[in-house]
Amino acid sequence: MPANILLVEDEPAIQELIAFNLSQAGHHVMRADSAESAQNIVRNALPDLILLDWMLPGMSGIDFARKLRSEERTRQIPLIMLTARSDEQDKVIGLETGADDYITKPFSPRELQARIKAVLRRRAPQITDDTVEVQGLRLDPATHRVTGNGDAIDLGPTEFRLLHFFMTHPERVHSRAQLLDHVWGDHVFVEERTVDVHIRRLRSALESTCFDRLIQTVRGTGYRLSAHSN
């Protein structure tokens, strides 16, 4: 699935080449040529993934990565470091800083796409096109179809995204605020009770196949998808 990718690269030619290849692959690319300008972009909306050059004017990529990982709001953003540094110690520093992957320049567009897909599959599976299944409930993001034991289930777009997020993060409890951030999008200002409305719609759509039991309310905390009883 297309991802919103923030590319932080100060060399114009390299930035243009990477952005072009990412756009050709269907991703939406936001560009920054410094950590400071990247911070302004992140302040307005969280990207699905950040490609971050190590050597930047002003604040270095490593320092920016540390800053991202130190703040609750940005801690979970998937992060790939781009660098000309190939020494093992540099790679260790990058990964210990919190990067999910480390790509040494020069690299091919195919390698970059493969690394992005691998990181998103691991850190943000709701962004990928991978089919997910839980006890006979099957969701295919590529075709936008949901079935329960082979029977088609009709979902609205918000309920589809909500179910996709639950199914790619099973057994975890999510607060209303977390669901708003992940499903509706960061900086989308709607009432938290909106989540309750869409949870009811999702359960109603799943009821005919008895999969509504998977969507559980955790009193005082939020919601989770679980194959186990409360």
Side-chain angles (χ1 to χ4, degrees):
M1 293 177 72
N4 292 314
I5 297 177
L6 173 56
L7 170 61
V8 190
E9 167 63 65
D10 66 315
E11 294 187 37
I14 296 177
Q15 185 193 90
E16 184 63 34
L17 181 61
I18 294 174
F20 173 79
N21 283 294
L22 293 177
S23 297
Q24 287 292 101
H27 299 299
H28 174 252
V29 184
M30 299 168 283
R31 306 189 200 188
D33 57 10
S34 69
E36 289 76 15
S37 58
Q39 282 185 98
N40 290 331
I41 293 173
V42 171
R43 196 172 293 123
N44 290 324
L46 294 180
D48 297 317
L49 180 140
I50 296 177
L51 293 175
L52 178 61
D53 186 31
W54 181 307
M55 300 295 290
L56 292 169
M59 183 189 301
S60 71
I62 284 291
D63 287 338
F64 184 46
R66 289 194 181 102
K67 183 175 177 60
L68 290 168
R69 290 297 182 247
S70 69
E71 297 178 3
E72 180 67 29
R73 180 172 169 268
T74 57
R75 187 168 296 153
Q76 299 302 320
I77 301 176
L79 175 64
I80 298 177
M81 296 291 297
L82 307 176
T83 179
R85 297 171 178 260
S86 58
D87 291 345
E88 181 180 358
Q89 184 58 34
D90 290 328
K91 292 182 180 181
V92 170
I93 291 172
L95 294 172
E96 286 183 344
T97 300
D100 295 286
D101 203 350
Y102 185 108
I103 305 181
T104 303
K105 299 175 183 176
F107 49 82
S108 71
R110 288 184 64 185
E111 179 187 6
L112 180 59
Q113 291 292 344
R115 299 289 191 97
I116 288 172
K117 188 172 184 178
V119 168
L120 287 175
R121 182 179 286 119
R122 187 168 70 248
R123 290 292 303 276
Q126 73 276 11
I127 302 298
T128 71
D129 273 334
D130 295 344
T131 298
V132 284
E133 185 169 350
V134 177
Q135 290 201 335
L137 179 64
R138 182 181 176 88
L139 182 148
D140 185 347
T143 61
H144 215 270
R145 288 178 177 153
V146 179
T147 57
N149 293 324
D151 295 328
I153 298 172
D154 186 29
L155 295 180
T158 301
E159 287 73 42
F160 185 91
R161 293 196 306 272
L162 189 58
L163 180 60
H164 192 197
F165 181 74
F166 275 134
M167 291 181 72
T168 51
H169 300 82
E171 307 299 335
R172 302 185 202 175
V173 180
H174 304 280
S175 68
R176 292 180 180 88
Q178 289 171 330
L179 290 172
L180 284 175
D181 278 352
H182 289 292
V183 178
W184 277 259
D186 184 66
H187 276 56
V188 174
F189 298 105
V190 294
E191 292 288 332
E192 287 192 1
R193 291 295 171 180
T194 299
V195 174
D196 299 338
V197 173
H198 288 281
I199 289 287
R200 285 197 295 271
R201 290 179 182 172
L202 176 58
R203 282 174 170 157
S204 178
L206 296 174
E207 193 172 4
S208 63
T209 53
C210 299
F211 285 105
D212 54 312
R213 60 183 169 77
L214 296 180
I215 310 300
Q216 300 176 357
T217 301
V218 181
R219 189 180 298 276
T221 306
Y223 299 98
R224 72 178 164 214
L225 182 142
S226 176
H228 309 290
S229 59
N230 283 316

